């Protein structure tokens, strides 16, 4: 069965997650993604030192990030400071449909691989550039990393308890959000090209993409002029609404009761039907006013049960509840993820088979799959330069000796 993106070829000049994740998704759907790397400036995913065995030093192929962000791609090694390497990159781009890059603003143009140059090689090329701030404006050349874009976006201002300082998520949300916006933009541009024969340049700001997903929180200020406040686990619109301690060490369950009908169900589940007539809890406004006391009483019920028991009992009654899971829970105890086959077993060059998070696109006709993981830098030099570009072994060797093509790492 053909995959959704069979026949699409992508060349990728990208570091970190924001750019590579686009290619990862496209490769999963059947596109051939050629990832350009260099030993002079290896990607962060290549600079992996096992934290449990630092004496092993850098293990670029064993990096979990390399699997998560770059599995399924062809990996070549070019020194793009060499004019011959730039020429080879242009020749590859001329055989591609899409270019994805997330170098710092201006770098790809300085290398001679900007949109105007690549358009000459492939007039209908679709090229996506994604940077922290986009390629224009006073911040265009600012240095960015996921956390600083996250705080600028306003997410951190909203995250945490009102009596404490703001917090970051310890996850590069702007990278993921930017990548998913970029993926959709590329699909739009490919569809436009199919209808018109014209390619286009996409310039995506990860900062703008992250601000854009704040949604109703941003609208609260735009519409009403009120700055949203940090509320911890509380809500202005629901009670109970919180994270409740359960049986065991550091085990919790989040519960949200959104209506009076759910409140009545909740009271039955926790065997406290009297709460529906209690003046402190009979109405939403009363429950919000006495939220601290209500939470304390609810926790007396949850603390004597496991988190999964609490979730199951409340979900059975139609009340939103979810265990605060860690990764081990998700892998070993989450029946829902297991039932839908979320985790994917992938062939790894050095480890045989590894388990990775799935790509949950939900395509039922062309579900997709992940190809090889853990490729060495330059592992696909022979295929790309020999088969895609049609170079002879002598021509490839000449480029290696000239320093344009970097030899493959030992596999």
């Amino acid at each position: 069965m053909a995959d959704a993106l069979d026949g699409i070829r992508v060349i990728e000049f990208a570091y970190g997650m924001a750019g590579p994740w686009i290619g990862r998704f496209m490769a999963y759907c059947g596109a051939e993604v050629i990832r350009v790397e260099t030993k002079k400036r290896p990607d962060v995913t290549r600079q992996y030192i096992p934290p449990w065995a630092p004496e092993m030093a850098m293990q670029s192929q064993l990096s979990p990030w390399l699997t998560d962000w770059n599995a399924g791609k062809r990996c070549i090694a070019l020194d793009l400071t060499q004019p011959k390497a730039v020429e080879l990159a242009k020749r590859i781009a001329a055989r591609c449909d899409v270019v994805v890059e997330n170098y710092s603003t201006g770098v790809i143009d300085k290398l001679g691989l900007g949109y105007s140059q690549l358009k000459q090689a492939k007039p209908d090329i679709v090229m996506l550039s994604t940077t922290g701030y986009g390629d224009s404006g006073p911040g265009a050349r600012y240095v960015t990393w996921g956390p600083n874009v996250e705080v600028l976006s306003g997410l951190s201002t909203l995250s945490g308890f009102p009596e404490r300082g703001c917090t970051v998520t310890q996850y590069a949300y702007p990278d993921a959000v930017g990548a998913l916006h970029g993926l959709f933009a590329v699909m739009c541009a490919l569809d436009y090209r199919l209808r018109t024969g014209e390619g286009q340049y996409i310039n995506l700001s990860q900062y703008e993409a992250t601000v854009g997903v704040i949604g109703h929180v941003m609208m609260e200020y735009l519409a009403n002029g009120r700055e949203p406040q940090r509320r911890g686990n509380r809500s202005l619109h629901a009670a109970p609404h919180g994270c409740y301690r359960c049986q065991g060490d550091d085990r919790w369950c989040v519960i949200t009761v959104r209506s009076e009908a759910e409140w009545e169900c909740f009271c039955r589940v926790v065997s406290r039907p009297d709460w529906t007539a209690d003046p402190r809890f009979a109405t939403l406004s009363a429950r919000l006013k006495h939220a601290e006391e209500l939470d304390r009483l609810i926790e007396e019920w949850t603390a004597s049960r496991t988190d999964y028991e609490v979730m199951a009992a409340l979900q059975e009654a139609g009340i939103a509840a979810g265990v605060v899971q860690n990764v081990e829970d998700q892998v070993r105890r989450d029946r829902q993820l297991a039932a839908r086959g979320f985790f994917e077993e992938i062939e790894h060059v050095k480890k045989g088979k590894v388990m990775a998070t799935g790509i949950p696109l939900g395509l039922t006709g062309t579900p997709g799959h992940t190809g090889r993981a853990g490729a060495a830098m330059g592992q696909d030099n022979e295929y790309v330069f020999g088969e895609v570009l049609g170079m002879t072994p002598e021509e490839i060797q000449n480029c290696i000796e000239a320093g344009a093509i970097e030899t493959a790492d030992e596999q």
Side-chain angles (χ1 to χ4, degrees), residues 243-253 307 323-326 329:
C243 184
Y244 301 91
R245 182 180 294 279
C246 298
Q247 196 176 77
D249 182 29
D250 195 26
R251 303 301 301 189
W252 306 81
C253 186
D307 41 10
V323 170
V324 181
Q325 295 193 124
N326 55 32
D329 292 329

Side-chain angles (χ1 to χ4, degrees), residues 76-359:
I76 64 172
L78 283 173
D79 179 2
L80 292 175
T81 63
Q82 301 291 324
K84 183 64 179 175
V86 173
E87 178 195 327
L88 292 172
K90 285 181 179 177
R91 288 173 58 187
I92 297 170
R95 290 162 173 76
C96 289
D97 303 282
V98 177
V99 180
V100 175
E101 72 92 10
N102 72 333
Y103 292 169
S104 298
T105 298
V107 170
I108 201 75
D109 295 300
K110 287 182 180 177
L111 290 171
L113 293 168
Y115 179 63
S116 60
Q117 293 109 332
L118 295 183
K119 190 178 178 182
Q120 294 177 19
K122 182 74 180 295
D124 65 348
I125 196 80
V126 170
M127 181 169 182
L128 178 138
S129 292
T130 171
T131 57
Y133 294 84
D135 68 354
S136 60
R141 295 185 183 278
Y142 279 8
V143 177
T144 62
W145 198 241
N148 75 296
V149 175
E150 179 182 329
V151 297
L152 282 167
S153 75
L155 276 175
S156 297
T157 302
L158 300 169
S159 178
F161 291 90
E163 69 275 15
R164 302 178 191 171
C166 66
T167 58
V168 294
T169 58
Q170 298 295 328
Y171 178 75
Y173 265 113
D175 286 60
V177 169
L180 295 178
H181 277 72
L183 181 66
F184 182 68
V186 168
M187 294 298 108
C188 289
L190 285 174
D191 183 71
Y192 179 79
R193 189 186 72 165
L194 185 65
R195 289 181 281 114
T196 67
E198 296 181 6
Q200 63 179 294
Y201 176 63
I202 302 162
N203 182 255
L204 189 140
S205 158
Q206 294 151 30
Y207 175 33
E208 292 171 5
T210 310
V211 173
V213 300
I214 292 180
H216 73 282
V217 176
M218 175 69 76
M219 289 303 296
E220 183 173 331
Y221 180 84
L222 295 178
N224 302 316
R226 291 194 297 267
E227 192 70 44
Q229 301 296 310
R230 282 193 297 280
R231 303 192 185 284
N233 295 321
R234 296 269 172 78
S235 166
L236 287 176
H237 313 291
H241 187 289
C243 184
Y244 301 91
R245 182 180 294 279
C246 298
Q247 196 176 77
D249 182 29
D250 195 26
R251 303 301 301 189
W252 306 81
C253 186
V254 166
I255 301 169
T256 297
V257 173
R258 298 167 296 177
S259 67
E260 294 309 306
E262 287 186 5
W263 171 238
E264 291 178 8
C265 288
F266 179 84
C267 292
R268 285 197 295 272
V269 172
V270 302
S271 301
R272 291 300 304 265
D274 56 302
W275 283 353
T276 60
D278 189 321
R280 298 171 300 169
F281 311 133
T283 64
L284 173 59
S285 60
R287 293 195 295 277
L288 290 170
K289 184 178 179 180
H290 299 94
E292 190 169 341
E293 188 175 4
L294 178 59
D295 285 348
R296 181 184 62 78
L297 292 170
I298 291 172
E299 204 158 80
E300 288 180 359
W301 180 77
T302 60
S304 62
R305 292 163 174 81
T306 71
D307 41 10
Y308 286 99
E309 288 172 344
V310 170
M311 180 174 75
L314 292 173
Q315 287 286 0
E316 183 70 23
I319 297 166
V323 170
V324 181
Q325 295 193 124
N326 55 32
V327 176
E328 182 181 0
D329 292 329
Q330 292 171 332
V331 174
R332 301 187 186 282
R333 288 180 275 278
D334 192 309
R335 295 184 301 164
Q336 180 68 14
L337 292 179
R340 289 177 60 85
F342 171 73
F343 292 99
E344 186 181 14
E345 194 172 66
I346 301 173
E347 292 290 341
H348 191 283
V349 171
K350 294 184 80 77
K351 300 184 72 174
K353 292 184 183 296
V354 296
M355 186 77 77
T357 53
I359 305 289

